[in-house]
Amino acid sequence: MNLPPTVRTTERSSSAAWTLVGLVAAGLVLRLALVPNEGFSTDISTFQYWAMSLAEHGFGAFYASGSFADYPPGYFYILAVIGHIWESLFKTGDAGHYTVLKFLVKLPGIVADLCLGVLSYAIVRRFASTTWALGAAALVLLNPAIIFNSAAWGQVDSVAAGLALLAVYLLLRSDGDSPERFSWNIVFAWLAIAYSLLIKPQAAVVVPIMLAFAFVDPLRRRSRLLSTGLGVVAGLILAVVLTEPFHPSNPIAALVWLFGRYQYGSSVYPFNTVNAFNLWAIRGPFWQQDTTPITVFGGISLGPQYLWGLILLIAALALVLWRYVQAKTPRALLESCAVATLAFFVLSTRMHERYSFDGLAFTIICLPFAVRYLWGAVVMTVVLFANLQYSLQYLNVMQNHVAGADAQNLWGPGTTVFALMAVGTFFWLGYQFLGGETSPLPAAGPRDPEGAPLEAEPLPQAGVRRWFDPGEGLKTLRAPLDYVVMGALGVLSFVLSFIGYWYPPGKVFDEIYFARAGEEYLQNLRIYENTHPPLTKLLVTLSIALFGGMPHGHGLGGWTLFNGVLGHMNNGDNSYGWRFLDVVFGALVVMLLYAFAKRITGSTVFAAIAALLLTCDGMHFVQSRIATP
């Protein structure tokens, strides 16, 4: 019997609701089973102490007591409630072993996990079918890393991450508000993100995207700007209200004090990575001071690690914002949040093992947009779970003084593998987002109250757009003919320039500046000629290093492989070393010209003629054989 569409819709909705309830129940059971786990005992003990201290001494004396507290005040309200419940109902029978108190301090993270699963369902359901929405909920509720983080470890990352997701969900819901009036959804979104930041600062990278949200829709811009302004003010008021009990003062002084708490929390662990599998863990050792400079060629300083982490993060956020403002779609809003939160973990220094949590949560809600987000969520789940296990081993090594263990890198090459997985996932998703399509799902068929097509399916995997693809100029090259011709001309140019490139053996023309600059870099001396940008000089420095560097006792050495094969001298401070990379670049320019000519003319013959003319050009020949720009 064929049922009317409304009946089928009701049945599907009822079935989805019961399935979601079942997933929540299963997630709760799994978490409750892990509550007795000791987890990361240091964090559990700290939360217990904070809860008891807040219940006994109140807010005003909490920070002033001098005890360790590296959190901003937001989560202490939750711990104060836990402390009062324990003091009133369980202290008499639980004092000494604290079994009930352990359960109570783990409970907020467990409840937040469940809410995060339901919220993920609601967000994904706006873009895709019930099946995909339930899949996203399951990926949160049954996720081993998320379960272990809250139920076993006892951490509360899901509380802050859940509030950040709630903020973005409320922004999505504001599309249903009247464009002529301000939106309470936007105001509440800013209150949610404010409270998230008052618990943990990881979601701060979402704030610029929320600000951009006010501008991307010209029809709603006035309403969104008004609502955003009111929301920012409401968020600041919330921050002041929650800060005052801990630091009674005027509002300005309270905000200054609150900013100081963030500064203190950031300064507690001033290391490149605190057991976090991110960019700074690829080389292996954790717990390195992030004021340590990054050096090249064995001694040239490029600045401290923390500065480069900040520069990389700002650059990533700028690209994400640019892409979102360009796309202007709800899909781009979610994708930009996912890439931004992953960037925070992957690129910044002072990251802890759990700080990938927000990136994982936002990646999961992007499941309906492309298959890559499913694989990204799986990889980040593996990385987070491995990171938690690593830190538990680290705690055991430090507490029990395990002999022979390298506390700066317990897993050796395994650390590099997991770090590369996290970094690779971020760059892969980021590259695809910056260059891919971000159009909304097509509207087709009846829609449910949340606004999603009832039978919507995920968008297919989209490739990067042509204008963004760095290989765009090669698109008209015909394989294998053009690649063979281009490569042959490059080899021909290299051979012609290579023959006797070391003559004359002394410095000629501006080599007196550029070859000398390479020598000065390798001896850590002041660069005599400073009117040119340094890139060419650094390339000459690298070229010298490839042939052995400076003579023994005169500066930094280098790699002797090229010298043994080509130069037959005991160092690289000679015409072999100064000029070799110029020969290489001269050949690459010939190949690049071939690609340009083929792009413009569409002819293999004319592209080959153009590249051959450059190969035989006297100026190009000379400039490819001396160490100048």
Side-chain angles (χ1 to χ4, degrees), residues 243-595:
T243 299
E244 284 290 347
F246 292 92
H247 184 75
S249 58
N250 63 72
I252 300 299
L255 291 176
V256 171
W257 177 87
L258 178 62
F259 180 71
R261 299 313 308 170
Y262 288 111
Q263 284 185 310
Y264 171 74
S266 173
S267 66
V268 172
Y269 300 100
F271 304 105
N272 59 348
T273 170
V274 185
N275 292 338
F277 293 143
N278 65 358
L279 177 67
W280 304 98
I282 289 178
R283 294 181 61 185
F286 299 104
W287 300 95
Q288 304 294 304
Q289 290 284 337
D290 66 355
T291 54
T292 304
I294 298 175
T295 58
V296 295
F297 303 124
I300 302 172
S301 174
L302 300 180
Q305 295 178 6
Y306 77 85
L307 178 61
W308 278 101
L310 184 62
I311 290 173
L312 290 173
L313 178 60
I314 292 174
L317 289 180
L319 287 171
V320 166
L321 280 173
W322 163 75
R323 184 68 185 99
Y324 171 52
V325 170
Q326 182 191 61
K328 300 180 175 65
T329 63
R331 171 184 173 179
L333 172 66
L334 297 185
E335 288 187 276
S336 60
C337 289
V339 175
T341 48
L342 286 173
F344 179 78
F345 171 76
V346 167
L347 302 177
S348 301
T349 61
R350 308 190 182 190
M351 291 295 103
H352 293 239
E353 65 287 313
R354 307 176 323 278
Y355 287 7
S356 62
F357 192 101
D358 288 42
L360 171 60
F362 275 102
T363 300
I364 289 173
I365 62 173
C366 291
L367 289 184
F369 304 140
V371 177
R372 62 179 177 269
Y373 288 106
L374 173 60
W375 290 113
V378 170
V379 173
M380 292 310 298
T381 295
V382 172
V383 171
L384 176 57
F385 189 80
N387 234 163
L388 296 176
Q389 298 302 319
Y390 179 94
S391 289
L392 287 178
Q393 292 186 23
Y394 174 81
L395 179 65
N396 176 63
V397 167
M398 298 304 291
Q399 287 183 338
N400 299 314
H401 306 288
V402 177
D406 180 6
Q408 291 187 327
N409 187 2
L410 298 176
W411 289 0
T415 295
T416 300
V417 171
F418 284 111
L420 286 172
M421 289 170 64
V423 174
T425 299
F426 160 68
F427 279 103
W428 176 43
L429 295 181
Y431 173 73
Q432 291 287 339
F433 169 60
L434 292 175
E437 298 298 332
T438 59
S439 56
L441 285 167
R447 306 178 74 84
D448 72 356
E450 287 293 324
L454 290 173
E455 299 299 331
E457 294 297 334
L459 286 176
Q461 183 81 24
V464 294
R465 294 170 296 172
R466 286 188 175 184
W467 62 265
F468 182 78
D469 185 358
E472 183 209 2
L474 306 178
K475 292 300 183 183
T476 56
L477 294 181
R478 186 174 59 190
L481 176 63
D482 284 318
Y483 292 97
V484 171
V485 174
M486 181 175 65
L489 288 169
V491 171
L492 174 64
S493 175
F494 177 82
V495 170
L496 291 176
S497 297
F498 178 82
I499 297 174
Y501 80 91
W502 46 88
Y503 289 110
K507 296 183 177 72
V508 297
F509 193 47
D510 277 1
E511 285 185 336
I512 61 172
Y513 301 122
F514 290 91
R516 172 178 173 173
E519 296 166 343
E520 289 165 341
Y521 271 123
L522 290 171
Q523 296 177 88
N524 199 25
L525 299 175
R526 183 181 71 86
I527 308 304
Y528 172 76
E529 197 287 318
N530 54 24
T531 60
H532 289 76
L535 180 58
T536 298
K537 300 169 187 175
L538 290 171
L539 289 173
V540 172
T541 305
L542 174 61
S543 190
I544 296 172
L546 290 174
F547 281 78
M550 298 297 293
H552 180 70
H554 293 274
L556 295 174
W559 304 273
T560 58
L561 175 62
F562 281 97
N563 205 358
V565 175
L566 305 175
H568 304 292
M569 306 182 95
N570 58 5
N571 60 72
D573 186 24
N574 48 63
S575 56
Y576 287 96
W578 305 330
R579 300 169 186 164
F580 177 73
L581 283 185
D582 267 274
V583 177
V584 174
F585 274 89
L588 292 175
V589 169
V590 170
M591 297 172 67
L592 182 62
L593 181 65
Y594 180 95

Side-chain angles (χ1 to χ4, degrees), residues 6-44:
T6 53
V7 176
R8 292 199 301 269
T9 300
T10 302
E11 288 184 349
R12 274 195 295 266
S13 299
S14 176
S15 175
W18 280 110
T19 303
L20 182 60
V21 169
L23 288 172
V24 171
L28 177 61
V29 170
L30 290 172
R31 286 163 173 80
L32 292 178
L34 282 177
V35 166
N37 190 294
E38 184 64 24
F40 200 85
S41 56
T42 303
D43 284 355
I44 296 294

